Amino acid sequence: MFATTIGLVSLMTLSAPTGREIVDAMDKVDDGKTQYSIRMMLTCPFKMKSGKRACASKPRKKVIEGIQMDMGKNGRDGVSMSYILEPATERGMAFKQYDFDEAKDTSEQWMYMPALKKLKRIVSDSSDGPRTGTLFGSEIGYEDIERRKLDDYTYKLIGEETVDGQAVYVLESVPVAKHRSKTSYGKIKSWVNKSNYLMVKNELYNHQGSLVKTFFFKDIREMGGIWISRKMLVVNHQSKRMSMLGLKKLAVNPDLKDAMFDNRVLDDGAYREKLLAPIRDLAK
């Protein structure tokens, strides 16, 4: 569900890489074959206070349990499940996503509503349009967490800067003509760490050129042999709301089973607990 926050140490020539070389390196990141995590999500309207964003009212808090695993013949597909543990009124609500490596296949997404015992597939409003809606009521859109296909964009290295003491490439991505109607964003501006190809910041612009969202990736550490951002902040400049996602526990490469991603685990809590209980003990 969260792969864009991880990077890869990659050898490059002495000259600056091209935009496509940068995204190719980012695409080869190692985030482990499997992951288990517990994350805290806070969402609130914000206001500026002493030059910083602060919640304008009490944030909505959710605790989310997640698993993900590489799938497919070459291990390049991926499947993930996310469950709400808290608040109790939303416990059991779940999101499932399957990502395809093949360029022709788009990510498939489903939302499970325990009160209705119904699994609903998330689709766009039109066959040629982007998905709308947000994950668990946050400012993270369904489109934001789809796996982007590299050939759906053109890439340009537009600068080099320093962010939080890190030397970064500044990259501009623009959807190709055939993909423009399928995305809400007309341009993406990314700040990528030069040494390990970690994303440290992402700006998403609409087709009219206005800034819609900014993603900040903070507290990046090596954990279990991979690099991961422990904190993500999503600022929606149009709704004046923000969501913060903080990592509380993580297990890298636990022994996950295919059965953990079956739809049965969505409406059979006892079955889900039986499968996940041993994995929880591994998370730190």
Side-chain angles (χ1 to χ4, degrees):
M1 174 181 173
F2 305 99
T4 55
T5 66
I6 318 300
L8 169 74
V9 175
S10 174
L11 295 177
M12 287 290 182
T13 61
L14 292 178
S15 60
T18 65
R20 181 57 190 243
E21 286 174 336
I22 293 171
V23 296
D24 282 342
M26 296 172 68
D27 188 54
K28 293 181 175 66
V29 300
D30 178 15
D31 60 348
K33 294 184 181 299
T34 61
Q35 276 192 34
Y36 169 88
S37 65
I38 297 286
R39 288 180 165 86
M40 177 82 72
M41 177 186 282
L42 302 175
T43 298
C44 64
F46 69 83
K47 60 182 179 181
M48 301 304 295
K49 186 176 181 180
S50 301
K52 297 182 179 180
R53 294 179 187 88
C55 285
S57 61
K58 185 177 180 179
R60 291 182 297 168
K61 171 184 171 182
K62 302 183 194 298
V63 178
I64 300 170
E65 182 175 51
I67 54 175
Q68 64 185 62
M69 183 167 68
D70 293 343
M71 300 283 279
K73 293 180 180 179
N74 60 3
R76 292 281 294 168
D77 290 355
V79 62
S80 63
M81 291 269 225
S82 299
Y83 308 93
I84 293 182
L85 300 181
E86 298 177 17
T89 54
E90 298 180 35
R91 184 178 176 87
M93 185 180 295
F95 175 78
K96 179 179 179 180
Q97 178 165 304
Y98 195 101
D99 294 312
F100 298 91
D101 183 49
E102 289 290 332
K104 63 182 178 63
D105 296 319
T106 58
S107 298
E108 294 182 354
Q109 299 174 329
W110 300 265
M111 183 64 72
Y112 178 73
M113 309 298 291
L116 303 175
K117 291 189 175 296
K118 182 177 181 181
L119 181 65
K120 179 182 178 181
R121 186 171 181 177
I122 299 168
V123 297
S124 59
D125 294 335
S126 65
S127 59
D128 198 38
R131 290 185 176 103
T132 58
T134 64
L135 179 67
F136 299 143
S138 71
E139 295 308 308
I140 304 169
Y142 293 133
E143 180 184 358
D144 300 335
I145 52 180
E146 293 178 8
R147 178 184 290 182
R148 291 194 176 99
K149 305 298 183 180
L150 299 190
D151 290 340
D152 284 341
Y153 295 81
T154 59
Y155 307 95
K156 183 180 180 181
L157 177 62
I158 60 174
E160 299 180 19
E161 298 179 8
T162 300
V163 177
D164 295 335
Q166 305 172 71
V168 300
Y169 295 117
V170 185
L171 183 70
E172 184 178 87
S173 307
V174 176
V176 298
K178 67 178 182 180
H179 187 64
R180 281 185 59 83
S181 64
K182 298 178 181 180
T183 175
S184 304
Y185 307 119
K187 182 178 72 174
I188 302 171
K189 191 175 178 182
S190 307
W191 285 256
V192 182
N193 188 295
K194 286 186 180 182
S195 63
N196 53 26
Y197 292 89
L198 299 171
M199 182 86 72
V200 297
K201 181 181 173 182
N202 220 17
E203 290 184 344
L204 307 178
Y205 295 79
N206 62 21
H207 291 287
Q208 292 72 45
S210 297
L211 179 61
V212 179
K213 295 179 184 178
T214 303
F215 284 69
F216 298 92
F217 303 100
K218 302 286 189 179
D219 194 12
I220 297 172
R221 305 183 195 178
E222 186 177 4
M223 303 180 67
I226 68 170
W227 288 93
I228 189 163
S229 170
R230 293 177 56 88
K231 296 179 182 179
M232 181 177 76
L233 171 65
V234 185
V235 177
N236 189 321
H237 301 278
Q238 298 191 339
S239 68
K240 300 300 182 184
R241 296 179 60 83
M242 64 182 180
S243 293
M244 295 153 281
L245 198 62
L247 181 66
K248 298 302 181 183
K249 291 187 177 182
L250 176 72
V252 178
N253 291 324
D255 185 19
L256 302 186
K257 308 297 185 184
D258 289 359
M260 295 177 178
F261 299 90
D262 289 345
N263 289 343
R264 177 184 171 186
V265 303
L266 296 173
D267 57 13
D268 189 336
Y271 180 63
R272 180 169 69 247
E273 289 300 305
K274 178 181 178 181
L275 293 175
L276 289 180
I279 305 300
R280 292 191 183 111
D281 294 337
L282 302 175
K284 298 179 180 179

